[in-house]
Amino acid sequence: MNKLPKGIKTVLTFGGGTLLLVLFLFIHINQGSVQLSPAVVTKAIFLPEDIIGHHTVRYLRLPRAVIGILAGGALAVSGVILQTITKNALASASTLGIHSGSYFAVIFSAVFIPASIAYNGLVVAFIGGILTAVLVYLLAGRATANQVKMVLAGMIVTMMFSSFTSLIQIFYENETAGLFLWGSGTLIQNNWNGVQFAFPFVAVGMLFALLIAKPLDTFRLGEDVATSLGQNVTRLRIISLVIAVFLTAVTVSVVGPIGFVGLIAPHLIKLLGYQNHYLLIVGSFIWGANVLLGADILARIIDPSFSELPVGAITAFIGAPWLIWLVLSKQQQKSNENTSTILAGKVNLRISSRLLVMLLITALIVLLIIGVSTGNSGIQLLNSARATLGLENESLQNFIINLRLPRLLVAAVSGALLAISGFIFQGVLRNPLADPSVIGITSGAGVGALLVLYVSGFSAIFVPIGAFVGALLAFLVVMALAYRTQFQPSLLALLGIGVSAFGSAVIQILVVEADMAVASALTWLSGSTYAKSWSEFFTYLIGPLVLITPILALQFKKINTLSLGDDTAKGLGLKVTQTRFQLAFWASLLAASSVAAVGSIGFVGLIAPHLARIMLGPSQKHLLPTTALLGAALLLFADILSRTLFVPKEIPSGIIVAIIGAPYFLFLMHRSNKIKGK
C-alpha cells in the first residue's frame, strides 16, 4: 500500500476515511427498532421539527454515534502515542493493561468512594490508568523492555485487575449492576450529556497530541539522536504517557473499556506508509472512529433484537485476529527468545524429590481434612470426624459426603489436570508462559460449553462434548499458528493472547445474549467450584485423570527431549512435529475436562509448573507428579478460601487463584529484570 502515488494515498486515507465515516454515521443513526428513512434522518439533523422521529434521531441515536466517533478517535490517537514512546508496535491501552486499571479504579470508587465518581469519574479513571501504565512499564524493564515482555506484563496486570474488579462486582452486585454492560464497552447514550462531557477533553487531548507530534518524529529516530538534537527524552515520555492515558481515561469514563481500536487504526495508517506524526494522529483519529462506529453497527446487525451486545466484545472479536496477523507479519524479525522467559531459578532444597512428593501428598490430605471440616461455623475437626464415621449428627455426615467432599475432590482433580496441561504445553511449545488459559485452549472450551448450554438447545449432559470440541478447535488453531512461527516462544506467547482474546470476546457475546445475571455471569467466566457434586467428578474428571495422565507420564522423556530444541530432538531420532501435536492434543483434552467441570480458571497451569521447577529444577523425573500435586493443592486451597473468607458469600475459586497468581508472576518479572540488570 505504501507504494501508491502520494495523491491517491492521501485521498484514500483522509478523503476516503471521512466519506466512510459519514456513511457509517447515516447507517448507524438508521439502526433501531423503528426504521427511519434517509430523508427523515437528514431533516432531523439539519432541519429539525418537533416530531417523534426527529427527537429519536437527535436525542437517542445521534449522541450514540457522536460518542462513538469521539471515543474511537481518542483511543486510536492514544495507541499512536503509546506505540511510539514504548517503541512497541503492539502497544495500545488494552494490550498494556491501562483499560483494566482505569476500569478497576472507577468500579472501586463507585462502591467505596461514591463521592469521587459523582464529582468527576474522569479523574478517577485517569489516576487508575496512569498507575497501571507506570506499573507495566516498570515490570517490563523500563525502556529496555522488548515488545513481548511489555505486552505480557500488560496481560498479567489486566488479569489481576479484572479479578479485583469481578470480586467487587460479585460482592456489591446492586451497587455495580448498571456497570456490567458498561464494563464490556458500550456506546449507549440517552442524551447529549456524555458527548458534552467528553468533547472538550478529547479536543484538548488532540491539541496536545498534535503539539508533541514533531518531538515524536524526532524521538522515533532514536533516543541518542533525539538527545543530541536537544530533546529531553524523559520529559517527552512522561508528557506523552499522560496524554495517551488522559485520552483513554476520557473514553473509559463515558463508554467503558473498549479494546483493540488503538491497535487496529494506527496500523491501518502505517500500512499506507505514513510516518509523520501529524498525519498519523489525524488519520488514526478518522479511522479509529470508523473502526468503533463500524463495530457498533456490526453488533446491532449480529443481534437484530437490539438487546445491546457490548461493542467492546465486537472490537476484540475483530482486533484479536488483527493482533495475530501483526505478530505473524513480524515473524521474520528474529527476536531473542530469552526475553520472553521468566527466570524461575531453583531453590536449594535439602530433601529428595521423592520425599517432596510425599510431603505434598500429606499437605493435600491435610487440606482435604480441613476442607470437609470447614463450614459457616468455622473449622470443626472433631465434630466432622465423628459425623463422617457415623458416630453422631447424620445430617452433618450427609452434608460432608454429598456436598463438601465431592466439591473438594472436583477442585483437587481440576487443579491437577490444569497443572499437567500447563506443564505439557510449556514443554512441547518451549514456552514458559504457555498455559491452557493463556494460549486460548480454555476460552475455546468455554465457547463450546456455552454454545451447548445457551444456543444449541441441547441438554446440559452435552456440555463436556461442547467443551472438548471447542478446545480441539482452539488447539488446532494454536498449533497451526505455532507451526507457522516455527514454535518461537516469544511470538507464540503473543499469538496465544490473540487466540484467548478472540475466545473471550465470543464468550462475552454469548453471556450477554444468554441474559445471564451479573453475578452468575462473572462467576462462570471466572471459574468456580461452587455446588460441584459427584456428578461432575465422575462425568468430567475421573476418566481423563485415569486414562490420559498415565499416557503423558510415559511421554515425559519426549518432553525433556523437545526442550533441548528441534534440531537436537531430531538428531536423537524424535519425530518432533508428530510428538508435539500428540502431546498438545492430550493436554487440550485435560484442559477441556476441567472447563466442563469448573469453568474457566486461569493461572493454575502457569503457577504449578513454575513452582515445581523452582523446587526441583527443569528435568527431574518427579517433576510431573510434583506439578500435578501443586495444582491440586492450589485449587483446593482456593476453594477453601472461596467459601470461608466472606461467609456466607462465596468468591469464585478462579478469582482467588488469579489474585494469588498475578502478583506471583509480576514478582517473577520484576525479579528477572533485576537479574538481567546485574
Side-chain angles (χ1 to χ4, degrees):
M1 286 187 180
N2 55 9
K3 294 182 180 179
L4 288 171
K6 187 175 181 181
I8 295 177
K9 189 167 62 176
T10 303
V11 170
L12 279 174
T13 305
F14 300 97
T18 302
L19 287 175
L20 182 63
L21 187 57
V22 172
L23 176 63
F24 277 170
L25 181 65
F26 273 87
I27 293 173
H28 191 278
I29 292 173
N30 199 45
Q31 283 184 306
S33 55
V34 178
Q35 293 295 319
L36 300 174
S37 67
V40 172
V41 172
T42 304
K43 285 185 178 180
I45 296 174
F46 298 107
L47 299 169
E49 299 175 9
D50 189 16
I51 58 176
I52 188 68
H54 288 195
H55 288 310
T56 300
V57 171
R58 292 181 65 83
Y59 298 109
L60 291 177
R61 299 186 183 179
L62 195 56
R64 177 172 180 155
V66 173
I67 201 65
I69 293 171
L70 293 174
L75 289 172
V77 173
S78 174
V80 170
I81 296 171
L82 289 172
Q83 287 166 22
T84 299
I85 63 169
T86 61
K87 302 176 185 177
N88 187 344
L90 303 174
S92 70
S94 52
T95 56
L96 298 185
I98 296 171
H99 273 152
S100 63
S102 295
Y103 180 43
F104 169 73
V106 171
I107 292 291
F108 181 88
S109 299
V111 173
F112 300 107
I113 322 172
S116 64
I117 296 295
Y119 176 69
N120 198 334
L122 172 60
V123 174
V124 173
F126 177 72
I127 293 172
I130 281 287
L131 293 177
T132 305
V134 171
L135 176 62
V136 170
Y137 193 63
L138 294 176
L139 287 168
R142 299 179 176 86
T144 60
N146 74 323
Q147 294 185 8
V148 176
K149 196 164 188 179
M150 188 166 287
V151 175
L152 290 175
M155 177 198 73
I156 295 170
V157 168
T158 295
M159 294 176 76
M160 180 178 69
F161 278 126
S162 296
S163 299
F164 291 150
T165 302
S166 297
L167 186 63
I168 294 174
Q169 287 181 299
I170 288 170
F171 275 85
Y172 297 91
E173 185 174 5
N174 293 332
E175 291 85 346
T176 61
L179 298 176
F180 182 68
L181 181 62
W182 173 80
S184 301
T186 178
L187 301 183
I188 295 175
Q189 302 290 309
N190 295 322
N191 50 48
W192 285 95
N193 290 345
V195 174
Q196 290 171 349
F197 171 81
F199 179 78
F201 291 119
V202 172
V204 170
M206 279 293 295
L207 175 63
F208 278 100
L210 291 170
L211 288 175
I212 63 168
K214 189 172 182 180
L216 288 176
D217 285 335
T218 306
F219 181 84
R220 190 174 58 82
L221 300 174
E223 293 186 34
D224 293 337
V225 174
T227 302
S228 67
L229 293 174
Q231 188 177 90
N232 188 325
V233 171
T234 302
R235 183 175 63 188
L236 178 63
R237 269 206 181 96
I238 293 172
I239 293 172
S240 300
L241 180 64
V242 168
I243 294 171
V245 174
F246 177 78
L247 287 169
T248 301
V250 172
T251 63
V252 170
S253 62
V254 178
V255 299
I258 297 175
F260 288 100
V261 176
L263 189 67
I264 299 172
H267 280 284
L268 284 173
I269 307 304
K270 290 176 182 177
L271 282 173
L272 288 167
Y274 290 100
Q275 299 295 329
N276 179 286
H277 276 81
Y278 283 114
L279 299 177
L280 274 176
I281 288 169
V282 175
S284 294
F285 186 94
I286 294 171
W287 283 95
N290 275 318
V291 169
L292 189 51
L293 211 57
D296 202 39
I297 291 170
L298 179 60
R300 295 199 282 180
I301 291 174
I302 293 173
D303 184 3
S305 68
F306 300 98
S307 60
E308 293 302 341
L309 284 180
V311 69
I314 302 299
T315 58
F317 186 81
I318 300 169
W322 185 269
L323 174 61
I324 292 171
W325 177 81
L326 283 176
V327 174
L328 291 175
S329 68
K330 295 177 181 298
Q331 74 178 80
Q332 299 301 324
Q333 303 172 13
K334 298 296 182 182
S335 58
N336 179 5
E337 293 185 358
N338 290 330
T339 56
S340 71
T341 62
I342 291 178
L343 304 177
K346 182 181 184 300
V347 177
N348 186 21
L349 295 177
R350 298 182 181 275
I351 57 175
S352 68
S353 58
R354 186 166 298 180
L355 179 56
L356 177 62
V357 170
M358 296 304 297
L359 289 174
L360 288 173
I361 291 173
T362 303
L364 207 56
I365 293 171
V366 170
L367 284 172
L368 275 171
I369 293 172
I370 293 174
V372 298
S373 305
T374 303
N376 291 347
S377 302
I379 301 176
Q380 297 176 311
L381 288 173
L382 184 59
N383 290 345
S384 298
R386 292 178 63 83
T388 304
L389 295 172
L391 300 178
E392 63 178 45
N393 202 337
E394 185 177 344
S395 63
L396 180 58
Q397 181 189 46
N398 290 332
F399 199 78
I400 290 171
I401 294 175
N402 295 318
L403 293 176
R404 291 181 188 172
L405 183 59
R407 171 177 175 158
L408 291 165
L409 290 176
V410 166
V413 177
S414 295
L417 296 183
L418 286 172
I420 295 170
S421 179
F423 176 83
I424 299 299
F425 276 120
Q426 289 173 20
V428 301
L429 300 178
R430 294 186 291 117
N431 186 345
L433 291 169
D435 161 80
S437 62
V438 171
I439 64 175
I441 305 299
T442 299
S443 61
V447 170
L450 278 178
L451 284 173
V452 170
L453 275 174
Y454 297 108
V455 178
S456 68
F458 291 136
S459 167
I461 197 172
F462 292 100
V463 166
I465 296 175
F468 288 136
V469 171
L472 180 61
L473 291 175
F475 155 76
L476 292 174
V477 170
V478 169
M479 294 306 291
L481 294 173
Y483 182 79
R484 174 83 178 271
T485 60
Q486 300 177 338
F487 295 94
Q488 292 182 53
S490 57
L491 295 179
L492 185 56
L494 295 176
L495 292 171
I497 293 173
V499 174
S500 184
F502 183 81
S504 297
V506 176
I507 288 174
Q508 202 170 44
I509 291 170
L510 291 174
V511 165
V512 173
E513 286 295 282
D515 198 24
M516 295 175 70
V518 172
S520 60
L522 289 171
T523 299
W524 197 96
L525 290 171
S526 303
S528 175
T529 50
Y530 175 73
K532 302 305 175 184
S533 65
W534 291 112
S535 174
E536 284 84 6
F537 180 74
F538 287 110
T539 304
Y540 307 140
L541 301 175
I542 197 66
L545 179 68
V546 173
L547 298 176
I548 299 177
T549 303
I551 295 174
L552 293 173
L554 293 173
Q555 305 292 317
F556 183 73
K557 288 185 178 179
K558 292 183 178 180
I559 299 171
N560 280 340
T561 305
L562 282 174
S563 67
L564 300 175
D566 288 3
D567 294 337
T568 303
K570 289 176 182 176
L572 294 172
L574 188 68
K575 296 179 179 178
V576 173
T577 302
Q578 181 180 335
T579 302
R580 236 188 211 112
F581 271 83
Q582 287 175 350
L583 291 172
F585 174 74
W586 293 122
S588 298
L589 291 185
L590 292 182
S593 302
S594 176
V595 171
V598 297
S600 179
I601 293 181
F603 276 112
V604 175
L606 280 172
I607 298 172
H610 271 274
L611 286 177
R613 291 188 183 96
I614 287 174
M615 293 176 175
L616 298 178
S619 58
Q620 258 283 349
K621 66 178 181 179
H622 291 111
L623 199 56
L624 187 61
T626 301
T627 298
L629 290 169
L630 284 168
L634 177 61
L635 196 49
L636 194 57
F637 180 64
D639 175 75
I640 294 171
L641 289 180
S642 72
R643 56 193 173 89
T644 56
L645 282 178
F646 299 100
V647 175
K649 288 194 173 184
E650 281 206 22
I651 308 170
S653 302
I655 291 179
I656 296 288
V657 173
I659 290 174
I660 296 171
Y664 169 75
F665 269 87
L666 295 178
F667 164 74
L668 284 181
M669 293 191 79
H670 175 67
R671 182 169 172 266
S672 69
N673 292 335
K674 292 177 68 175
I675 292 173
K676 289 178 183 178
K678 290 183 179 179

PDB file of all heavy atoms in Angstrom, residues 265-288:
ATOM      1  N   ALA A 265      -6.396   0.898  14.270  1.00  0.00           N
ATOM      2  CA  ALA A 265      -6.394   2.133  13.475  1.00  0.00           C
ATOM      3  C   ALA A 265      -4.989   2.651  13.161  1.00  0.00           C
ATOM      4  O   ALA A 265      -4.697   2.975  11.995  1.00  0.00           O
ATOM      5  CB  ALA A 265      -7.229   3.201  14.179  1.00  0.00           C
ATOM      6  N   PRO A 266      -4.072   2.765  14.144  1.00  0.00           N
ATOM      7  CA  PRO A 266      -2.731   3.266  13.803  1.00  0.00           C
ATOM      8  C   PRO A 266      -2.019   2.406  12.763  1.00  0.00           C
ATOM      9  O   PRO A 266      -1.315   2.928  11.889  1.00  0.00           O
ATOM     10  CB  PRO A 266      -1.991   3.226  15.147  1.00  0.00           C
ATOM     11  CG  PRO A 266      -3.063   3.331  16.179  1.00  0.00           C
ATOM     12  CD  PRO A 266      -4.215   2.572  15.602  1.00  0.00           C
ATOM     13  N   HIS A 267      -2.221   1.090  12.830  1.00  0.00           N
ATOM     14  CA  HIS A 267      -1.546   0.221  11.864  1.00  0.00           C
ATOM     15  C   HIS A 267      -2.150   0.335  10.470  1.00  0.00           C
ATOM     16  O   HIS A 267      -1.441   0.143   9.470  1.00  0.00           O
ATOM     17  CB  HIS A 267      -1.568  -1.224  12.355  1.00  0.00           C
ATOM     18  CG  HIS A 267      -0.519  -1.503  13.385  1.00  0.00           C
ATOM     19  ND1 HIS A 267       0.805  -1.658  13.068  1.00  0.00           N
ATOM     20  CD2 HIS A 267      -0.592  -1.618  14.731  1.00  0.00           C
ATOM     21  CE1 HIS A 267       1.507  -1.870  14.167  1.00  0.00           C
ATOM     22  NE2 HIS A 267       0.686  -1.845  15.187  1.00  0.00           N
ATOM     23  N   LEU A 268      -3.439   0.647  10.393  1.00  0.00           N
ATOM     24  CA  LEU A 268      -4.032   0.904   9.076  1.00  0.00           C
ATOM     25  C   LEU A 268      -3.334   2.078   8.398  1.00  0.00           C
ATOM     26  O   LEU A 268      -3.027   2.040   7.201  1.00  0.00           O
ATOM     27  CB  LEU A 268      -5.528   1.195   9.221  1.00  0.00           C
ATOM     28  CG  LEU A 268      -6.454   0.006   9.483  1.00  0.00           C
ATOM     29  CD1 LEU A 268      -7.867   0.504   9.765  1.00  0.00           C
ATOM     30  CD2 LEU A 268      -6.459  -0.959   8.298  1.00  0.00           C
ATOM     31  N   ILE A 269      -3.069   3.126   9.177  1.00  0.00           N
ATOM     32  CA  ILE A 269      -2.405   4.306   8.619  1.00  0.00           C
ATOM     33  C   ILE A 269      -0.942   4.002   8.301  1.00  0.00           C
ATOM     34  O   ILE A 269      -0.412   4.419   7.261  1.00  0.00           O
ATOM     35  CB  ILE A 269      -2.501   5.492   9.605  1.00  0.00           C
ATOM     36  CG1 ILE A 269      -3.957   5.732  10.021  1.00  0.00           C
ATOM     37  CG2 ILE A 269      -1.927   6.758   8.978  1.00  0.00           C
ATOM     38  CD1 ILE A 269      -4.890   5.962   8.868  1.00  0.00           C
ATOM     39  N   LYS A 270      -0.286   3.244   9.159  1.00  0.00           N
ATOM     40  CA  LYS A 270       1.125   2.909   8.917  1.00  0.00           C
ATOM     41  C   LYS A 270       1.281   1.996   7.712  1.00  0.00           C
ATOM     42  O   LYS A 270       2.297   2.049   7.012  1.00  0.00           O
ATOM     43  CB  LYS A 270       1.718   2.254  10.171  1.00  0.00           C
ATOM     44  CG  LYS A 270       1.877   3.228  11.333  1.00  0.00           C
ATOM     45  CD  LYS A 270       2.368   2.531  12.587  1.00  0.00           C
ATOM     46  CE  LYS A 270       2.464   3.507  13.752  1.00  0.00           C
ATOM     47  NZ  LYS A 270       2.880   2.843  15.013  1.00  0.00           N
ATOM     48  N   LEU A 271       0.278   1.157   7.466  1.00  0.00           N
ATOM     49  CA  LEU A 271       0.335   0.290   6.285  1.00  0.00           C
ATOM     50  C   LEU A 271       0.330   1.104   4.995  1.00  0.00           C
ATOM     51  O   LEU A 271       0.824   0.650   3.961  1.00  0.00           O
ATOM     52  CB  LEU A 271      -0.858  -0.681   6.288  1.00  0.00           C
ATOM     53  CG  LEU A 271      -0.757  -1.885   7.222  1.00  0.00           C
ATOM     54  CD1 LEU A 271      -2.071  -2.653   7.237  1.00  0.00           C
ATOM     55  CD2 LEU A 271       0.392  -2.804   6.803  1.00  0.00           C
ATOM     56  N   LEU A 272      -0.242   2.305   5.048  1.00  0.00           N
ATOM     57  CA  LEU A 272      -0.242   3.192   3.886  1.00  0.00           C
ATOM     58  C   LEU A 272       1.069   3.955   3.751  1.00  0.00           C
ATOM     59  O   LEU A 272       1.240   4.748   2.821  1.00  0.00           O
ATOM     60  CB  LEU A 272      -1.409   4.182   3.985  1.00  0.00           C
ATOM     61  CG  LEU A 272      -2.799   3.577   3.759  1.00  0.00           C
ATOM     62  CD1 LEU A 272      -3.883   4.542   4.197  1.00  0.00           C
ATOM     63  CD2 LEU A 272      -2.985   3.202   2.295  1.00  0.00           C
ATOM     64  N   GLY A 273       1.985   3.714   4.702  1.00  0.00           N
ATOM     65  CA  GLY A 273       3.322   4.295   4.593  1.00  0.00           C
ATOM     66  C   GLY A 273       3.526   5.598   5.329  1.00  0.00           C
ATOM     67  O   GLY A 273       4.578   6.235   5.197  1.00  0.00           O
ATOM     68  N   TYR A 274       2.561   6.029   6.145  1.00  0.00           N
ATOM     69  CA  TYR A 274       2.712   7.291   6.873  1.00  0.00           C
ATOM     70  C   TYR A 274       3.600   7.108   8.100  1.00  0.00           C
ATOM     71  O   TYR A 274       3.426   6.163   8.866  1.00  0.00           O
ATOM     72  CB  TYR A 274       1.344   7.832   7.299  1.00  0.00           C
ATOM     73  CG  TYR A 274       0.503   8.332   6.150  1.00  0.00           C
ATOM     74  CD1 TYR A 274      -0.506   7.544   5.605  1.00  0.00           C
ATOM     75  CD2 TYR A 274       0.738   9.589   5.600  1.00  0.00           C
ATOM     76  CE1 TYR A 274      -1.272   7.995   4.551  1.00  0.00           C
ATOM     77  CE2 TYR A 274      -0.035  10.056   4.536  1.00  0.00           C
ATOM     78  CZ  TYR A 274      -1.032   9.246   4.019  1.00  0.00           C
ATOM     79  OH  TYR A 274      -1.779   9.706   2.964  1.00  0.00           O
ATOM     80  N   GLN A 275       4.544   8.018   8.283  1.00  0.00           N
ATOM     81  CA  GLN A 275       5.421   8.010   9.453  1.00  0.00           C
ATOM     82  C   GLN A 275       5.366   9.336  10.210  1.00  0.00           C
ATOM     83  O   GLN A 275       5.659   9.381  11.398  1.00  0.00           O
ATOM     84  CB  GLN A 275       6.869   7.726   9.024  1.00  0.00           C
ATOM     85  CG  GLN A 275       7.070   6.378   8.341  1.00  0.00           C
ATOM     86  CD  GLN A 275       6.794   5.207   9.267  1.00  0.00           C
ATOM     87  OE1 GLN A 275       7.012   5.295  10.478  1.00  0.00           O
ATOM     88  NE2 GLN A 275       6.299   4.110   8.706  1.00  0.00           N
ATOM     89  N   ASN A 276       5.006  10.398   9.505  1.00  0.00           N
ATOM     90  CA  ASN A 276       4.893  11.712  10.129  1.00  0.00           C
ATOM     91  C   ASN A 276       3.758  11.699  11.149  1.00  0.00           C
ATOM     92  O   ASN A 276       2.631  11.308  10.837  1.00  0.00           O
ATOM     93  CB  ASN A 276       4.632  12.768   9.048  1.00  0.00           C
ATOM     94  CG  ASN A 276       4.480  14.161   9.625  1.00  0.00           C
ATOM     95  OD1 ASN A 276       3.465  14.477  10.224  1.00  0.00           O
ATOM     96  ND2 ASN A 276       5.504  14.976   9.431  1.00  0.00           N
ATOM     97  N   HIS A 277       4.031  12.154  12.363  1.00  0.00           N
ATOM     98  CA  HIS A 277       3.046  12.006  13.432  1.00  0.00           C
ATOM     99  C   HIS A 277       1.856  12.953  13.298  1.00  0.00           C
ATOM    100  O   HIS A 277       0.786  12.657  13.837  1.00  0.00           O
ATOM    101  CB  HIS A 277       3.714  12.181  14.803  1.00  0.00           C
ATOM    102  CG  HIS A 277       4.345  10.914  15.300  1.00  0.00           C
ATOM    103  ND1 HIS A 277       5.581  10.485  14.882  1.00  0.00           N
ATOM    104  CD2 HIS A 277       3.883   9.957  16.156  1.00  0.00           C
ATOM    105  CE1 HIS A 277       5.874   9.332  15.472  1.00  0.00           C
ATOM    106  NE2 HIS A 277       4.866   8.990  16.239  1.00  0.00           N
ATOM    107  N   TYR A 278       2.017  14.071  12.622  1.00  0.00           N
ATOM    108  CA  TYR A 278       0.838  14.911  12.369  1.00  0.00           C
ATOM    109  C   TYR A 278      -0.191  14.109  11.574  1.00  0.00           C
ATOM    110  O   TYR A 278      -1.384  14.068  11.901  1.00  0.00           O
ATOM    111  CB  TYR A 278       1.241  16.160  11.571  1.00  0.00           C
ATOM    112  CG  TYR A 278       1.930  17.231  12.372  1.00  0.00           C
ATOM    113  CD1 TYR A 278       3.255  17.548  12.129  1.00  0.00           C
ATOM    114  CD2 TYR A 278       1.254  17.925  13.378  1.00  0.00           C
ATOM    115  CE1 TYR A 278       3.909  18.535  12.865  1.00  0.00           C
ATOM    116  CE2 TYR A 278       1.889  18.911  14.120  1.00  0.00           C
ATOM    117  CZ  TYR A 278       3.224  19.206  13.857  1.00  0.00           C
ATOM    118  OH  TYR A 278       3.851  20.175  14.594  1.00  0.00           O
ATOM    119  N   LEU A 279       0.286  13.483  10.498  1.00  0.00           N
ATOM    120  CA  LEU A 279      -0.613  12.708   9.639  1.00  0.00           C
ATOM    121  C   LEU A 279      -1.079  11.435  10.334  1.00  0.00           C
ATOM    122  O   LEU A 279      -2.234  11.017  10.172  1.00  0.00           O
ATOM    123  CB  LEU A 279       0.100  12.373   8.325  1.00  0.00           C
ATOM    124  CG  LEU A 279       0.540  13.590   7.490  1.00  0.00           C
ATOM    125  CD1 LEU A 279       1.291  13.142   6.247  1.00  0.00           C
ATOM    126  CD2 LEU A 279      -0.667  14.437   7.111  1.00  0.00           C
ATOM    127  N   LEU A 280      -0.192  10.816  11.108  1.00  0.00           N
ATOM    128  CA  LEU A 280      -0.570   9.609  11.841  1.00  0.00           C
ATOM    129  C   LEU A 280      -1.701   9.891  12.824  1.00  0.00           C
ATOM    130  O   LEU A 280      -2.662   9.121  12.940  1.00  0.00           O
ATOM    131  CB  LEU A 280       0.636   9.051  12.608  1.00  0.00           C
ATOM    132  CG  LEU A 280       1.586   8.114  11.861  1.00  0.00           C
ATOM    133  CD1 LEU A 280       2.755   7.749  12.764  1.00  0.00           C
ATOM    134  CD2 LEU A 280       0.856   6.862  11.408  1.00  0.00           C
ATOM    135  N   ILE A 281      -1.587  11.004  13.533  1.00  0.00           N
ATOM    136  CA  ILE A 281      -2.584  11.337  14.558  1.00  0.00           C
ATOM    137  C   ILE A 281      -3.935  11.649  13.913  1.00  0.00           C
ATOM    138  O   ILE A 281      -4.978  11.132  14.332  1.00  0.00           O
ATOM    139  CB  ILE A 281      -2.086  12.514  15.416  1.00  0.00           C
ATOM    140  CG1 ILE A 281      -0.938  12.034  16.334  1.00  0.00           C
ATOM    141  CG2 ILE A 281      -3.221  13.109  16.247  1.00  0.00           C
ATOM    142  CD1 ILE A 281      -0.205  13.157  17.038  1.00  0.00           C
ATOM    143  N   VAL A 282      -3.920  12.488  12.883  1.00  0.00           N
ATOM    144  CA  VAL A 282      -5.184  12.858  12.229  1.00  0.00           C
ATOM    145  C   VAL A 282      -5.806  11.639  11.547  1.00  0.00           C
ATOM    146  O   VAL A 282      -7.010  11.357  11.688  1.00  0.00           O
ATOM    147  CB  VAL A 282      -4.956  13.991  11.211  1.00  0.00           C
ATOM    148  CG1 VAL A 282      -6.245  14.280  10.443  1.00  0.00           C
ATOM    149  CG2 VAL A 282      -4.469  15.251  11.921  1.00  0.00           C
ATOM    150  N   GLY A 283      -4.993  10.906  10.785  1.00  0.00           N
ATOM    151  CA  GLY A 283      -5.505   9.728  10.095  1.00  0.00           C
ATOM    152  C   GLY A 283      -6.016   8.667  11.052  1.00  0.00           C
ATOM    153  O   GLY A 283      -7.065   8.046  10.817  1.00  0.00           O
ATOM    154  N   SER A 284      -5.291   8.452  12.159  1.00  0.00           N
ATOM    155  CA  SER A 284      -5.720   7.452  13.140  1.00  0.00           C
ATOM    156  C   SER A 284      -7.029   7.854  13.801  1.00  0.00           C
ATOM    157  O   SER A 284      -7.876   7.001  14.091  1.00  0.00           O
ATOM    158  CB  SER A 284      -4.633   7.259  14.206  1.00  0.00           C
ATOM    159  OG  SER A 284      -3.474   6.692  13.638  1.00  0.00           O
ATOM    160  N   PHE A 285      -7.212   9.161  14.046  1.00  0.00           N
ATOM    161  CA  PHE A 285      -8.474   9.611  14.641  1.00  0.00           C
ATOM    162  C   PHE A 285      -9.642   9.264  13.719  1.00  0.00           C
ATOM    163  O   PHE A 285     -10.665   8.722  14.162  1.00  0.00           O
ATOM    164  CB  PHE A 285      -8.438  11.114  14.903  1.00  0.00           C
ATOM    165  CG  PHE A 285      -9.641  11.623  15.647  1.00  0.00           C
ATOM    166  CD1 PHE A 285      -9.609  11.752  17.025  1.00  0.00           C
ATOM    167  CD2 PHE A 285     -10.816  11.954  14.980  1.00  0.00           C
ATOM    168  CE1 PHE A 285     -10.728  12.208  17.725  1.00  0.00           C
ATOM    169  CE2 PHE A 285     -11.933  12.403  15.664  1.00  0.00           C
ATOM    170  CZ  PHE A 285     -11.887  12.529  17.044  1.00  0.00           C
ATOM    171  N   ILE A 286      -9.485   9.552  12.415  1.00  0.00           N
ATOM    172  CA  ILE A 286     -10.569   9.272  11.460  1.00  0.00           C
ATOM    173  C   ILE A 286     -10.860   7.776  11.405  1.00  0.00           C
ATOM    174  O   ILE A 286     -12.021   7.346  11.484  1.00  0.00           O
ATOM    175  CB  ILE A 286     -10.196   9.804  10.067  1.00  0.00           C
ATOM    176  CG1 ILE A 286     -10.110  11.339  10.079  1.00  0.00           C
ATOM    177  CG2 ILE A 286     -11.217   9.342   9.016  1.00  0.00           C
ATOM    178  CD1 ILE A 286      -9.536  11.936   8.805  1.00  0.00           C
ATOM    179  N   TRP A 287      -9.808   6.975  11.274  1.00  0.00           N
ATOM    180  CA  TRP A 287     -10.022   5.538  11.104  1.00  0.00           C
ATOM    181  C   TRP A 287     -10.364   4.845  12.417  1.00  0.00           C
ATOM    182  O   TRP A 287     -11.039   3.814  12.417  1.00  0.00           O
ATOM    183  CB  TRP A 287      -8.801   4.913  10.440  1.00  0.00           C
ATOM    184  CG  TRP A 287      -8.812   5.212   8.971  1.00  0.00           C
ATOM    185  CD1 TRP A 287      -8.166   6.237   8.335  1.00  0.00           C
ATOM    186  CD2 TRP A 287      -9.560   4.524   7.972  1.00  0.00           C
ATOM    187  NE1 TRP A 287      -8.461   6.232   6.990  1.00  0.00           N
ATOM    188  CE2 TRP A 287      -9.309   5.187   6.738  1.00  0.00           C
ATOM    189  CE3 TRP A 287     -10.405   3.429   7.980  1.00  0.00           C
ATOM    190  CZ2 TRP A 287      -9.879   4.775   5.543  1.00  0.00           C
ATOM    191  CZ3 TRP A 287     -10.973   3.007   6.785  1.00  0.00           C
ATOM    192  CH2 TRP A 287     -10.714   3.673   5.593  1.00  0.00           C
ATOM    193  N   GLY A 288      -9.928   5.400  13.538  1.00  0.00           N
ATOM    194  CA  GLY A 288     -10.368   4.864  14.831  1.00  0.00           C
ATOM    195  C   GLY A 288     -11.862   5.054  15.015  1.00  0.00           C
ATOM    196  O   GLY A 288     -12.568   4.163  15.499  1.00  0.00           O
TER     197      GLY A 288
END
